[in-house]
Amino acid sequence: MRVLVIGSGGREHALVRAIAKSPLVTKLFCAPGNPGIATVAELVPIPVTEVEALASFAASNDIDLVVPGPEAPLVAGIADLLAERGIRCCGPSKAAAQLEGSKQFTKEVADAAGIPTARWEAFTEAHHALDFISRRGAPIVVKADGLAAGKGVVVAQTEAEAEAAVIACLREGTFGVAGARVVIEEFMEGPEVSVFALCDGTEAVFLGAARDHKRVGDGDTGPNTGGMGAIAPPPGFTHETRTQVMETIIRPTLVEMERRGTPFRGILFAGLMLTEEGPKLIEYNVRFGDPEAETLLPLLESDLLAALLAACEGGLAAVPLRWRAEASVSVVLAAQGYPGAYHRGTRIAGLDKAAAEEAVTLFHAGTRAEGDAILADGGRVLVVNGTGPSLTVARNRAYAAVDALEWPEGFCRRDIGAHFL
Ligand code: AMP
Ligand code: GLY
């Protein structure tokens, strides 16, 4: 099979590495990729948002399967463009990608399917939203409806904070069209967990659960980021919880999406709150997480490509996935300043030494090559994963590799998973 992976981050490096192990692969491309990915796949210089160009590339290069990493090409309809050309895509149609593209859409699906989630209401008029907040009181959660680069959610502890969030979205247009509608919802409490399922429209198989570390600083301080690290499995995530999530959240979602004529194919990423009343849905993403992909895929023993193919063709249930029953810890190395302004172009040394640590995998997230040198070229730059028989061992391995890197202009959180030791 000729396979094209779309994306340029650590998640795509993890996908490409896992796919490259499959005996089914004859040729692997990645657009646009990065220097880490270049060691396993041929890079194609097309940005992820140029869906027409990507679909044309796939058609003219006899691609059998396209695997989009990020949500942008999916929300832009790449699966539909590929379907028109008869090319398989392991990702949802534009209509099904609304599970990530619109919070209101997800809430409607959740309500129609009877899925446990926070009670909510949507508004386009600021005065109605403000009325609602004064009736409900704080704490309360205000969300821009559309894609807002992870910045569109305000968990307001006071009514004033909630009002400011409404005004920013509906009066000041801070998030443009993404914030022209807000979803206001009940505040939920409990540990958060990310659950991943591979779906073929009808069936879903569990791909694992992980705990992300979203704040930039140790002890969960500072602003939110795309994720500074992740651990798997999440401590306390029992087999019973997993069954509950699959039966009360993931499967009913697939039934409702099929009923609407927009079946969900691809990787469904459920952000969940484990409340006293059981797991509840916070939000969906229609793709793998980053750095969750770099945390879960190193534990996969089965052929990922065979499973992705089954997700496109149906019959997923017949492709059981086996995972090593180990702990996994990923630590993100970011450029100083991230998630604010940061410099590009600083040199990273010690990569080979770090990668040589036992049970460690190094993923490139935002790098570029200049001659033999690897330079930082993004906010999140590298992801270091360690696996082992316990969280402690996996953590120690990951941090031993981090310490072997020489990159004074970078930083990482030193406490990934530490809370659970
Ligand atoms: P989202 O982008 O919807 O995942 O929201 C970002 C973060 O806001 C989540 O990871 C939660 O920590 C928090 N959050 C979202 N919705 C709620 C809610 N209803 N109650 C409490 N916290 C929430
Ligand atoms: N790590 C969270 C995400 O991929 O959105």
Side-chain angles (χ1 to χ4, degrees):
M1 289 187 67
R2 296 169 63 81
V3 181
L4 168 65
V5 174
I6 298 173
S8 63
R11 167 182 49 210
E12 289 75 26
H13 194 180
L15 285 167
V16 161
R17 277 183 62 111
I19 292 169
K21 289 187 196 149
S22 170
L24 299 172
V25 169
T26 52
K27 178 78 194 178
L28 188 51
F29 294 97
C30 186
N34 66 38
I37 294 172
T39 64
V40 218
E42 183 176 328
L43 302 190
V44 180
I46 306 176
V48 301
T49 46
E50 297 200 2
V51 289
E52 294 279 355
L54 289 165
S56 300
F57 174 87
S60 52
N61 287 275
D62 297 321
I63 298 296
D64 298 297
L65 174 69
V66 176
V67 184
E71 66 278 11
L74 293 164
V75 174
I78 193 159
D80 310 74
L81 288 176
L82 291 166
E84 282 166 21
R85 292 170 156 94
I87 301 169
R88 298 179 196 90
C89 175
C90 188
S93 65
K94 185 173 184 167
Q98 283 300 97
L99 283 176
E100 177 155 359
S102 163
K103 309 253 184 223
Q104 173 170 272
F105 179 85
T106 298
K107 295 305 256 184
E108 286 169 356
V109 168
D111 286 355
I115 290 166
T117 186
R119 280 177 300 140
W120 65 285
E121 236 167 277
F123 300 91
T124 53
E125 300 280 348
H127 65 277
H128 290 147
L130 296 173
D131 271 358
F132 181 76
I133 289 165
S134 69
R135 273 185 281 125
R136 284 291 165 89
I140 195 163
V141 181
V142 180
K143 303 182 172 186
D145 180 58
L147 293 179
K151 298 191 175 72
V153 174
V154 172
V155 179
Q157 295 302 331
T158 63
E159 282 183 40
E161 272 177 79
E163 288 162 8
V166 163
I167 286 163
C169 286
L170 299 183
R171 293 223 173 113
E172 291 165 358
T174 306
F175 299 110
V177 285
R181 173 182 290 127
V182 295
V183 166
I184 303 185
E185 62 179 45
E186 173 196 2
F187 173 77
M188 299 187 289
E189 267 177 296
E192 277 184 56
V193 54
S194 305
V195 168
F196 299 87
L198 182 61
C199 308
D200 68 6
T202 307
E203 316 212 41
V205 297
F206 181 70
L207 281 185
R211 163 94 22 91
D212 196 1
H213 292 58
K214 285 186 178 150
R215 301 297 191 99
V216 75
D218 281 14
D220 288 328
T221 54
N224 261 324
T225 68
M228 291 301 292
I231 62 169
F237 188 81
T238 61
H239 195 81
E240 186 197 346
T241 312
R242 161 180 164 175
T243 305
Q244 231 178 337
V245 170
M246 294 303 286
E247 296 311 321
T248 69
I249 297 178
I250 305 288
R251 294 211 167 89
T253 300
L254 294 193
V255 171
E256 174 61 16
M257 292 299 284
E258 211 171 15
R259 193 192 64 77
R260 291 172 174 236
T262 54
F264 185 90
R265 245 172 245 112
I267 294 171
L268 189 57
F269 167 168
L272 305 172
M273 192 84 86
L274 304 179
T275 73
E276 282 178 357
E277 295 157 31
K280 291 191 180 181
L281 179 67
I282 301 172
E283 62 153 7
Y284 275 130
N285 297 121
V286 298
R287 48 160 178 91
F288 227 140
D290 192 346
E292 291 90 337
E294 299 96 303
T295 310
L296 294 172
L297 290 175
L299 298 176
L300 180 64
E301 287 180 328
S302 309
D303 183 342
L304 178 66
L305 182 54
L308 298 177
L309 192 60
C312 296
E313 301 195 321
L316 241 190
V319 185
L321 289 176
R322 274 178 300 103
W323 304 83
R324 284 211 316 280
E326 288 195 339
S328 181
V329 174
S330 294
V331 179
V332 172
L333 283 108
Q336 275 172 24
Y338 174 81
Y342 54 80
H343 285 291
R344 292 174 194 260
T346 56
R347 191 191 168 113
I348 304 164
L351 287 159
D352 290 340
K353 200 166 149 228
E357 290 286 335
E358 187 182 355
V360 157
T361 317
L362 219 66
F363 299 104
H364 288 233
T367 63
R368 78 184 149 85
E370 200 173 273
D372 286 340
I374 294 295
L375 307 182
D377 195 34
R380 293 191 295 175
V381 173
L382 291 170
V383 180
V384 177
N385 174 263
T387 61
S390 66
L391 179 61
T392 305
V393 174
R395 245 188 125 245
N396 289 344
R397 287 175 172 167
Y399 279 110
V402 166
D403 292 337
L405 289 167
E406 292 160 44
W407 182 35
E409 296 85 1
F411 74 97
C412 67
R413 274 181 67 162
R414 300 297 316 192
D415 67 341
I416 303 303
H419 182 69
F420 305 100
L421 292 178

